[in-house]
Amino acid sequence: MKFSPFIAPLAVMFFIIFNQSFAESARDTLATIENDASIAEDKIAQLSETCHQKWQSLNWVMGQQNILAKDNPAFSGGVMNICRARAELFFEGYELTPFIEPDSQSEVFPIVFRYSVEEIKSQIRLHLPKLRLI
């Protein structure tokens, strides 16, 4: 019992040091997760933009007047949302191409004017049951 005044403070100091090392480790882990999310977001944005540029080169036409779809801001914006949704699904591990294929007009037209990327993603999942996680 004559060493107890020395053991208690040492135990408290050990606990504090041990706890701080876990706190720093948690901060480092959180920073890594945030950095990974930022990198993934950048890749999704780049892939979405590439998809949209590739779609523009397809020169799809709308209606009987043969108006280029890429010249219609609402349609072009909707295609950008579809590209975003496809890129996100691709990075989530779904087995689909993140690009819009030249002959996929029948898939794109029904969802091009959907309100949000999440709604488009759910429609793609719903109407393409062959999708599965890799």
Side-chain angles (χ1 to χ4, degrees):
M1 286 290 193
K2 64 181 181 178
F3 294 113
S4 63
F6 299 110
I7 294 175
L10 287 175
V12 170
M13 286 177 45
F14 177 73
F15 178 76
I16 291 171
I17 292 170
F18 187 71
N19 197 18
Q20 285 180 345
S21 67
F22 274 118
E24 288 175 13
S25 175
R27 273 187 246 127
D28 292 343
T29 303
L30 182 59
T32 302
I33 290 170
E34 288 173 353
N35 191 27
D36 289 347
S38 174
I39 291 170
E41 179 62 32
D42 290 345
K43 288 181 180 181
I44 289 171
Q46 287 174 340
L47 190 57
S48 298
E49 186 60 36
T50 303
C51 167
H52 191 256
Q53 289 172 357
K54 183 178 175 189
W55 169 79
Q56 288 177 333
S57 71
L58 296 176
N59 290 325
W60 285 1
V61 293
M62 295 174 33
Q64 295 178 357
Q65 293 87 8
N66 290 332
I67 299 170
L68 286 176
K70 68 182 178 184
D71 294 337
N72 182 314
F75 196 92
S76 184
V79 170
M80 185 62 183
N81 287 342
I82 291 171
C83 287
R84 174 72 185 206
R86 292 180 73 87
E88 286 181 12
L89 288 171
F90 178 76
F91 278 103
E92 287 175 15
Y94 282 93
E95 195 175 39
L96 85 156
T97 176
F99 300 106
I100 295 175
E101 300 297 324
D103 59 347
S104 64
Q105 292 159 328
S106 62
E107 296 172 15
V108 171
F109 286 167
I111 60 174
V112 74
F113 295 112
R114 296 288 176 175
Y115 178 70
S116 70
V117 173
E118 288 302 317
E119 188 179 353
I120 292 170
K121 284 170 59 175
S122 66
Q123 287 296 316
I124 291 173
R125 285 185 194 115
L126 182 67
H127 289 99
L128 296 175
K130 64 181 175 256
L131 290 180
R132 64 178 195 269
L133 288 173
I134 296 174

